[in-house]
Amino acid sequence: MHTVDEFINGFMDELNFGRGVSLARSSRNDQYIALSKAVRQNLQARWMKTLARQYEQQAKSVAYLSAEYLLGRQLDNALLATGMTEVVQDGLGILGLSLDELRAQETEPGLGNGGLGRLAACFVDSLATMSVPCIGYGIRYEYGIFRQEFEDGWQVEHSDRWLALGNPWEFPHPEHAVTVHFGGSTETYTDEQGRERTRWLPAWDVQGVPYNYMVPGYRNGRVNTLRLWSARATRAFDLRIFNAGDYVEAVRAQTFAENISKVLYPEDSTPQGKELRLQQQYFFVACSLRDQLENVLPKQFDLANLPDRVTFQLNDTHPVIAIPELMRLLVDEKGMEWDDAWAITQKCFAYTCHTLLPEALEVWSVELLGKLLPRHLEIIYKINEIFLEEVRAAYPGDEIKLRRMSIITDHPERSVRMAYLATIAASKVNGVAALHSELLRDKVLPDFSAYWPDKFTNVTNGITPRRFIRLSNPGLSELITETLGDEGWVTDLDRLRELEPHADDPAFRERFRQVKAANKQTLAKVLAVRDDITLPTDVMYDVMVKRLHEYKRQTLKLLHIVTLYEQIISGKVAAQDVTPRAFLFGAKAAPGYRIAKEIIALINAVGKTINNDPQVQGRLTVAFPANYNVTLAERLIPAADLSEQISLAGKEASGTGNMKFALNGALTIGTDDGANVEIRQLVGDDNFFLFGMLEPEVEATIAQGYSPVSVYESNPQLKATIDLIASGHFSDGDRNRFEPVVSNLLGEDRFLTLADYAAYLEAQKKVEAAYADPDDWSRKAILNVARCGFFSSDRSMVDYIDRIWHTPAITQ
């Protein structure tokens, strides 16, 4: 389908015979579905060829196990990968249709929560572009992450019906459904060779139906696979019960089973919610491992060679239950001896830790594991027993160390520490930024890193330049291509270094500013239509978009905004002396995270007050579009001037938003945390606004007995800012309305927001001084773009391949 005529014929065939409608009677959705299926035809032959080539070469592959994939819209990415954009645009034009209108019809799959899910999507994109075999495994959530709306400023969660109008990018294969068991008990028996064995006698089961998605490489003819599992009942409908009139009971099994793949991260503050989360995690890894052993590997494959054929990459702790599942498959079903199976398992898994927060390292109660997965609990106990024997031999008499390193902990209840299990079983454990990996070794898993110093490594995260520059920022892409002479930079982001000399060219700086101005105009139009938000386009765009969590410190950004506002209305500062800014937020709070929801409500209340106060009009604007997602990110990130990366030092694992902003020409104000450290080192101190305590200073401040109320009382401006919130100024005089946020800051302030407040304001003054010189600001922004090629997910994949996976690209 290389010509306009071929495309038109393919499109009309899909419309007429696939959708069963004529062009004249077709709906916009009919047209979008037909367009998508016509485009995907161009990928399917490449997909089949890629799979055949991998099978012929018996190539080692990566099985990427992730609970999240934030894919973004698929149509534009497929057009870019195939180079079909112009052909499609011209063909639709002849038919009187608009590509822009049809691409807007696509609903983004909400299959992730934030950076973890977007990272997984970037990684599978890079592996396809690098011709490295990979299957991404996850869950096809029927509703995914919730759709966020604001009611009176409060976050309200609604189901995201992303599948309501159909999804042309997936291929269901119910004939390859996998049965997954739960509950029951275990028993010992003697096998035919006289060996004592154990088998699982489960109580109930569900089926996992695979839905395949194509993951195209960038114009290299390669297409990898993303395989998402949907749960359904093995016995979905009882006609006898239905005929007796009990219609609800007749479909109870179906409802119960399908709950497993209903939503991403069900609220887990209840026992039922915890149980459902564990069901989800086991469901998708059980399906995925079974799929690898029975469908991907050739028949009669010698499983002793499994490590030579696949690496299972555990994307955080969510899929760690895959470790005892593989042991169960090898020992119980394939009849292997324990030692042989354990040797294979230890070579097949690698573990990426994405957090430093103890509460984010998953722990499952022994009671729940024993109820849902009794055989797996037995296997975990045996893994732990053998491991502790090794530790006892290495550290005789050190029972405290044994308790520290045990997979099983007794406090606050007897539980399984999944990060410990992953660390013991994995061939490699990696953090996702240089500082994060250092803290992971020294603070989170110090006993393990001392025991296995060579097991720990670092792979700094990255982003795909295809989606986050080439697609999302066409103006900058055209400028880069014109300047460098070709599009080779799209798969070799180190070439951005060639832009560095142009930072000193006034004409190039002017063109760079024109691109940024055009991106602001685009974003303003999008927000006007999408959210009914009016955004000025001739001001600094100061942006903070990320998951709402206290450690990310959206409250610090908010205190800055309220400080500027308070200074103006109190007469301390003249409005005309304040740098005009539009503050843009994007964030979702977990449904059960009460204080995070309070913070969102306060941001919206502050925004409402400021946006309607004539004293600051033209100077301060606050915008918080609801339901921030990849589609909005593609418009917002290229428009940003200032990127807020202000987490408490030592708390952010890496960040990928910080990379996206820097690569799109925004300057960063940030702490020395996560990948900020590497960004600052690469772009230079003069092109980064650093503030705040370093991680050792954070530890020392907490150890000395941090008193947030003392900081509040000693800083008059901070006191005036918090007092303005507490006074009810942003809540129609209701002093109790935001009392929980104020009390949290003054009484606890777990993430030292007040301690870093003064330093943050000083850094913001430097931002204002720099922004007052547009030419020098542009120079700094260009150097950020030029020096951040390191943060390509292609480079991340090279690091994983060299340090962990050892998976070569397949040849032609």
Side-chain angles (χ1 to χ4, degrees):
M1 201 177 291
H2 301 295
T3 68
V4 172
D5 287 342
E6 287 174 337
F7 164 71
I8 290 175
N9 290 335
F11 172 80
M12 291 305 300
D13 280 349
E14 290 290 349
L15 193 64
N16 297 157
F17 306 116
R19 301 296 293 176
V21 293
S22 65
L23 181 59
R25 298 185 62 83
S26 61
S27 67
R28 188 82 75 216
N29 190 61
D30 288 326
Q31 295 160 11
Y32 161 70
I33 297 288
L35 168 61
S36 299
K37 289 190 173 181
V39 171
R40 83 177 192 181
Q41 279 187 23
N42 249 31
L43 292 173
Q44 284 175 259
R46 306 177 191 193
W47 191 22
M48 298 301 104
K49 184 178 179 182
T50 298
L51 294 173
R53 183 68 66 187
Q54 288 173 199
Y55 191 84
E56 288 170 12
Q57 298 186 13
Q58 296 292 291
K60 184 177 183 181
S61 67
V62 179
Y64 199 80
L65 302 177
S66 179
E68 298 184 34
Y69 289 93
L70 262 179
L71 300 172
R73 290 175 171 174
Q74 296 297 289
L75 176 58
D76 279 336
N77 192 59
L79 290 173
L80 178 67
T82 54
M84 286 181 61
T85 304
E86 289 185 10
V87 167
V88 168
Q89 206 155 20
D90 292 346
L92 291 175
I94 291 171
L95 296 172
L97 302 176
S98 163
L99 176 57
D100 286 341
E101 289 181 2
L102 295 190
R103 60 161 56 107
Q105 182 70 23
E106 183 173 354
T107 301
E108 175 183 326
L111 304 179
N113 183 43
L116 182 83
R118 187 51 238 176
L119 182 79
C122 285
F123 280 5
V124 295
D125 170 277
S126 283
L127 288 170
T129 296
M130 298 166 67
S131 299
V132 174
C134 171
I135 300 180
Y137 285 111
I139 300 178
R140 179 183 177 267
Y141 303 101
E142 186 176 344
Y143 295 107
I145 190 68
F146 61 85
R147 179 170 53 84
Q148 180 193 51
E149 292 184 2
F150 296 136
E151 294 180 10
D152 193 26
W154 276 88
Q155 171 180 297
V156 177
E157 301 93 29
H158 296 281
S159 58
D160 181 12
R161 299 177 67 243
W162 69 279
L163 290 166
L165 295 177
N167 180 13
W169 300 103
E170 64 183 18
F171 297 83
H173 285 284
E175 73 280 7
H176 291 148
V178 174
T179 300
V180 180
H181 302 284
F182 291 97
S185 60
T186 64
E187 68 174 13
T188 57
Y189 70 99
T190 303
D191 69 11
E192 295 174 355
Q193 285 77 43
R195 301 173 300 179
E196 187 176 276
R197 313 292 283 187
T198 302
R199 60 182 159 221
W200 182 15
L201 305 174
W204 57 279
D205 54 39
V206 300
Q207 281 194 325
V209 177
Y211 286 74
N212 290 336
Y213 290 71
M214 294 182 290
V215 182
Y218 179 71
R219 299 183 185 177
N220 65 349
R222 304 295 187 184
V223 181
N224 280 346
T225 303
L226 175 64
R227 189 161 295 154
L228 304 180
W229 300 95
S230 180
R232 72 179 184 190
T234 50
R235 293 168 293 279
F237 182 74
D238 192 315
L239 184 60
R240 180 181 56 82
I241 294 175
F242 184 85
N243 286 337
D246 194 344
Y247 306 135
V248 173
E249 182 62 23
V251 295
R252 188 186 71 81
Q254 179 179 353
T255 303
F256 185 77
E258 291 178 358
N259 281 341
I260 291 176
S261 56
K262 251 335 180 239
V263 298
L264 170 70
Y265 300 153
E267 215 286 298
D268 65 350
S269 59
T270 65
Q272 296 90 337
K274 287 184 172 66
E275 185 170 339
L276 182 54
R277 278 211 190 188
L278 183 55
Q279 287 173 10
Q280 285 186 331
Q281 293 179 7
Y282 178 64
F283 166 74
F284 99 85
V285 301
C287 290
S288 304
L289 265 59
R290 177 84 60 185
D291 181 64
Q292 275 287 318
L293 298 187
E294 295 186 358
N295 296 325
V296 177
L297 295 174
K299 303 299 180 187
Q300 310 306 317
F301 181 80
D302 184 354
L303 289 174
N305 299 321
L306 188 62
D308 298 327
R309 286 300 309 274
V310 65
T311 293
F312 295 104
Q313 184 65 41
L314 304 170
N315 194 29
D316 218 10
T317 51
H318 310 122
V320 170
I321 197 67
I323 292 165
E325 172 65 2
L326 182 59
M327 286 296 294
R328 187 189 70 81
L329 291 172
L330 296 178
V331 174
D332 294 359
E333 295 196 8
K334 304 298 181 182
M336 281 192 182
E337 295 297 334
W338 176 276
D339 290 346
D340 295 335
W342 182 235
I344 292 168
T345 298
Q346 286 184 296
K347 293 175 184 175
C348 280
F349 284 99
Y351 165 51
T352 299
C353 178
H354 284 276
T355 186
L356 294 167
L357 301 178
E359 63 266 30
L361 294 170
E362 285 188 311
V363 174
W364 292 110
S365 74
V366 164
E367 181 184 7
L368 178 57
L369 263 171
K371 172 186 173 184
L372 269 185
L373 303 169
R375 178 57 179 144
H376 298 75
L377 181 59
E378 290 179 353
I379 291 170
I380 291 168
Y381 271 125
K382 185 166 182 179
I383 291 171
N384 193 48
E385 179 186 341
I386 294 170
F387 170 66
L388 292 182
E389 287 177 4
E390 296 171 2
V391 175
R392 188 174 283 110
Y395 303 98
D398 194 343
E399 291 301 313
I400 293 176
K401 184 182 288 287
L402 253 68
R403 286 199 294 271
R404 286 203 309 264
M405 297 181 75
S406 174
I407 298 171
I408 310 298
T409 180
D410 290 323
H411 302 286
E413 62 177 334
R414 193 160 178 79
S415 304
V416 175
R417 296 186 275 205
M418 303 305 280
Y420 287 20
L421 174 59
T423 302
I424 292 165
S427 61
K428 290 288 185 180
V429 176
N430 74 281
V432 289
L435 176 62
H436 173 245
S437 294
E438 177 186 328
L439 295 174
L440 181 66
R441 288 191 301 266
D442 298 345
K443 299 290 179 69
V444 180
L445 298 168
D447 292 315
F448 293 95
S449 64
Y451 188 63
W452 284 307
D454 295 336
K455 181 176 282 198
F456 287 75
T457 188
N458 173 63
V459 178
T460 298
N461 285 342
I463 65 167
T464 169
R466 270 74 64 185
R467 184 173 290 274
F468 287 106
I469 306 179
R470 180 63 179 78
L471 277 179
S472 64
N473 202 339
L476 180 60
S477 296
E478 290 169 12
L479 180 59
I480 294 171
T481 298
E482 180 183 325
T483 304
L484 302 188
D486 58 65
E487 277 203 335
W489 62 271
V490 178
T491 53
D492 182 9
L493 215 56
D494 286 338
R495 287 196 57 197
L496 293 183
R497 275 282 180 180
E498 298 171 38
L499 295 175
E500 194 163 332
H502 298 276
D504 294 317
D505 178 357
F508 186 86
R509 291 199 295 263
E510 176 58 30
R511 290 191 62 190
F512 187 86
R513 281 194 294 276
Q514 290 172 1
V515 169
K516 184 67 70 174
N519 290 339
K520 289 181 178 181
Q521 295 280 354
T522 298
L523 176 63
K525 291 175 183 175
V526 167
L527 292 182
V529 173
R530 180 187 186 272
D531 300 275
D532 197 25
I533 289 174
T534 301
L535 205 62
T537 56
D538 57 349
V539 302
M540 180 199 302
Y541 279 15
D542 183 345
V543 180
M544 188 170 190
V545 289
K546 50 188 77 254
R547 184 165 47 93
L548 202 303
H549 196 290
E550 289 168 275
Y551 85 82
K552 294 179 183 287
R553 301 203 294 190
Q554 282 92 347
T555 45
L556 183 56
K557 178 73 257 172
L558 183 63
L559 289 175
H560 173 232
I561 296 169
V562 175
T563 294
L564 294 176
Y565 177 66
E566 192 279 333
Q567 288 174 338
I568 293 172
I569 64 173
S570 66
K572 296 173 188 172
V573 175
Q576 60 267 28
D577 293 334
V578 173
T579 301
R581 300 197 202 204
F583 303 98
L584 292 104
F585 290 90
K588 291 183 179 181
Y593 194 172
R594 180 69 186 184
I595 193 65
K597 287 186 166 185
E598 295 273 4
I599 293 167
I600 285 177
L602 178 55
I603 293 171
N604 280 323
V606 168
K608 182 179 179 181
T609 301
I610 288 176
N611 295 343
N612 290 287
D613 191 331
Q615 296 179 84
V616 295
Q617 280 190 0
R619 291 288 153 178
L620 304 179
T621 305
V622 180
F624 196 150
N627 207 49
Y628 181 71
N629 57 14
V630 176
T631 303
L632 181 56
E634 290 171 7
R635 300 282 77 82
L636 189 150
I637 290 170
D641 294 302
L642 186 66
S643 166
E644 299 276 352
Q645 307 297 332
I646 58 177
S647 54
L648 179 64
K651 300 301 179 185
E652 184 69 82
S654 174
T656 51
N658 48 6
M659 304 168 188
K660 293 165 192 156
F661 281 105
L663 279 163
N664 280 273
L667 301 188
T668 303
I669 182 168
T671 51
D672 242 13
D673 196 27
N676 286 0
V677 177
E678 289 150 285
I679 292 175
R680 182 176 59 82
Q681 291 169 348
L682 286 165
V683 305
D685 288 335
D686 292 341
N687 307 305
F688 186 106
F689 300 101
L690 178 67
F691 78 95
M693 291 176 282
L694 302 177
E695 190 274 336
E697 294 171 313
V698 169
E699 293 295 314
T701 299
I702 294 171
Q704 290 163 9
Y706 171 59
S707 172
V709 74
S710 298
V711 179
Y712 159 81
E713 290 172 346
S714 65
N715 186 322
Q717 183 57 68
L718 175 60
K719 188 175 189 302
T721 297
I722 292 179
D723 287 351
L724 187 63
I725 297 170
S727 72
H729 185 84
F730 302 106
S731 50
D732 298 322
D734 183 354
R735 300 173 65 91
N736 295 320
R737 176 66 182 77
F738 295 114
E739 189 275 337
V741 179
V742 173
S743 294
N744 188 53
L745 284 172
L746 297 181
E748 186 176 9
D749 193 18
R750 273 203 308 153
F751 299 103
L752 309 192
T753 298
L754 303 192
D756 269 346
Y757 169 84
Y760 181 56
L761 260 61
E762 283 301 309
Q764 287 288 358
K765 290 179 182 177
K766 294 177 183 177
V767 169
E768 292 173 0
Y771 195 73
D773 183 347
D775 213 40
D776 191 52
W777 183 277
S778 298
R779 180 181 180 278
K780 293 176 184 293
I782 292 164
L783 289 175
N784 267 259
V785 176
R787 294 173 177 175
C788 281
F790 172 81
F791 297 109
S792 169
S793 51
D794 298 350
R795 189 272 315 150
S796 297
M797 293 301 92
V798 170
D799 287 350
Y800 271 103
I801 291 165
D802 289 347
R803 300 172 190 174
I804 301 173
W805 299 335
H806 311 297
T807 46
I810 56 173
T811 58
Q812 293 291 342

